Each structure stands twice: as C-alpha cells, then as structure tokens.
Amino acid sequence: QVELPVAFALKRDAEGLFSAAMERATPAGPKFRQWLSGEQIADAYGAPADDAARVLAEARKAGFVGTLDPTRGVISGSMTAAEAERLLGVKLRVAPLGESLLVQPESTPQVPQRWRSTVTAVLGLTLQLPGTASSAAAPAATSMTASPSRSLTCAPAPAASGLMREYYGLTPLSEAGKGGRGVRIALLQIDRTSQVALEQIRRCYGVTIPVVDTIKVDATADAVFGSDTEESTLDIAAASLVAPNLEGITTYQFNPYSTIAFPLVAAVGDALAPAGGPQIISTSIGYCRDQIDAATVATSEWALAAAAAAGEQRQERADDGGIPNDTVEKMRDALKAAGAIRGSSTTTAGERGRPASSGFGGILRRTRRRCRSARRATWRSPCRRCRRGRRAVRRVARAVPRRWAWS
C-alpha cells in the first residue's frame, strides 16, 4: 500500500519554451527580462487544458493522487503498486538493497492507449523502502532534534561569512545592504536537515538562519534518510552566510532512488503559483548518464526552461566548494565534537567552486558510492560511466539561462 511517485509527461512545445527562455535571457534581445507567468507558459507551450484535465480526472479515478503543474507540462503525484499495475499494466518488483528494499518496474511503464494523444511518457514508480530492521526502529534522532550542547566548543572561524561573500564576489552587494531580502530559496535534497546543527552554527558563528520549511515530495519513510547530517544542512548554512537577510528556505526532500524530476517540478510549480514561491532553486545531486532515461531528462529540462522563462534562478553544481577546505573541516569537526552531526562523510582536497554556484555542495560526500551499486552517484565518482555523465548534465545546465534574484 506504499504510495509510489509517478508522473505523466504531457505533449508540449518544449522547443518553443526553450526559445522563449533564451530570448528573455539575452541582454541584446527585445524580450530581455520580460518574464512569463505560469499561465502564459501553459497557454503558449503547454498541453491543451481540456486534454490535460481529462487525463488527470481519469488517473484520479484509478487511484492516482496528484496535480497538474502550472505550465500544463506534467501531471505528478503518486499511486500504490496495485493501482499502477491496473492502470498501466506494469509489473513491479521488490529487491533487496543493502539493509533496505527497492521497488521498481520490471520494464519501462507504457502510456495507456487512450492517453497517447496527450501523454508522451510515464515516469517514476521507483522507491527505496526501509528494511524490516530499520522500519521497526526509527532512526536515532539525537543529531536531528536534541538540544544543543551547553558545553559547545566552537572552531575558530570568525571570518567565514566575509570569506564566502568575498569568494563569490558578493562583497559589493553586501556593502550596499543587499543580502537577499525578500528572497526564498528552494533546496532539492535526499537527506535530512539537522536543526541542531543549524543551531550550533548560529551560536558558533553568529549566522542568521532563516525559517526552514521541509516539503516531502514522496512517501519516503524517515528511516530511509537515516540520522546522518549531510549536505543540505551545510547548504542552508552557506546560503545564510552569503545572504543573511533571506526570507526563508524551503527544502524539497525526495527519495534517493527516485528521479530529481519530481522535486524539480514541485519547486518550479510553487515558484510559478499565483501566491509566489522560491526565486532560487538549488541542488547538488548528480546522476549516472546511463541511469537517466530520455523522458526524465526531457521533463527536467521542461521544468528548468519554465523556471528560466519566468525569471527563476537555478543552481545545479554537484562539485563546488566555495570556501577553503580547512575552514570547512574546522566547522565540521566542531559540530561533530558537539554531537550535532554524525556520519561517514569526508572532505575532498582542492575542491573550489565557480561564482554563482551553491555554497558547500559536494565538499562533504560519501566515499563508497558507485554506479554499480546505486542509481545515483556523485560527480567525482571513479565510475567511468559517471564521468561521461557529467558532460551530459553540464550540457543541460548550460542550455538554461540564469539570473541572480538578490534584492
């Protein structure tokens, strides 16, 4: 009865949307920064409203729980394995994955015949589940929710905030009083955020941490994410150092074995909603090229192009540093000594990021991740297929315009 993430990619004018995004990001062009709303994107480039509504209604009758995104390019949500098998005729299997389990289709899900004039592909239906032992006992919560240690010893790094602003070329903005006021950031993550670690960073380094909200994109159990504090917590700290006046940060947490298309569509959908949402979308997750199907790439590119056409800023680096490793190591060691973070992550020497990339992303990484044992992998994985995959992801990244949204 576990709800599995599933999405239906609709027929849309992707090339038209890409061209519109490029026109609005070309300084010499007549449409430079004439951003589009979600409704304008849907009417000009999305699927016909009646067709999309029909597919959504029929899917809901079959047990699907989800929504149509504002651009009318994707219907995303979830359904149980039994519902998916009845609607899509797909067989799902459960296989052991270390101490956990992995649910995935035996073959590529096919679009029902009656939908093929509107739907181009079915995405998802893959989810990592906790094993019997891990599901019986919740993960240790001390590193996530325990009170900060009263005997906290802080590492000497008083200039961290200024160092980061100088490294990223933001000192002039800081001196002008522009530190992200009114801006909300979306972080796409596959780990848990430690409020304890954020409190330790706030107390040690005088960092103003904005309100952090978490949206669970799928039905992943907390036991899957574990209790280790990983990149997302440091990304929040880095963003707070660089932009001390942020309105808030929203993390979109999704299953490690699912596709990034799901949180990306969710974040862009929130950004394009009439009520408004994040102005910056950031992630530091890389995938092996041979483990990403064309439909997933096309859906992710659609979401990125929609964000670009609407004037959203996105950052997709997975290997940047942004601050000298000795400073990061001191901060990490102090937090570990205080009991705020745990885990088997390590720093990699000499990693430096480019301007306009996400703060600490990639400095802390697991050392045993391999393509052959996981559907996701870091950019610096020794797997040859993963190294080839970097080029493909970078090509996608370069194809989408970007702009800074600091105010």
Side-chain angles (χ1 to χ4, degrees), residues 91-113:
K91 296 296 182 181
L92 299 170
R93 63 184 178 190
V94 180
L97 180 69
E99 297 181 355
S100 59
L101 302 172
L102 181 66
V103 180
Q104 61 184 352
E106 291 184 352
S107 59
T108 302
Q110 299 300 308
V111 177
Q113 183 67 38

Side-chain angles (χ1 to χ4, degrees), residues 3 5 22 34 58 72 80 106 112 120 126 158 175 182 191 222 249 264 273 275 291 300 322 327 343 370 387 389 392:
E3 293 282 328
M22 292 300 294
Q34 295 182 19
E58 292 181 3
R72 291 206 301 270
T80 66
E106 291 184 352
T120 60
T126 299
E175 293 176 347
D191 55 16
D222 288 341
I249 296 175
L264 188 56
Q291 295 169 345
S300 299
T327 303
R370 296 292 187 272
R387 292 199 295 270

Side-chain angles (χ1 to χ4, degrees), residues 183-202:
V183 174
R184 176 171 288 274
I185 294 178
L187 294 179
L188 315 186
Q189 64 176 40
I190 52 175
D191 55 16
R192 303 178 70 191
T193 298
S194 170
Q195 297 297 335
V196 173
L198 292 177
E199 176 62 16
Q200 302 281 32
I201 292 171
R202 184 191 67 79

Side-chain angles (χ1 to χ4, degrees), residues 36 47 89 111 123 136 155 157 163 187 205 318 338 363:
L36 299 175
V111 177
L123 286 66
L163 179 63
L187 294 179
Y205 307 110
I363 277 195

Side-chain angles (χ1 to χ4, degrees), residues 336-348:
K336 291 184 72 173
I341 63 175
R342 307 189 286 126
S344 58
S345 299
T346 183
T347 57
T348 54

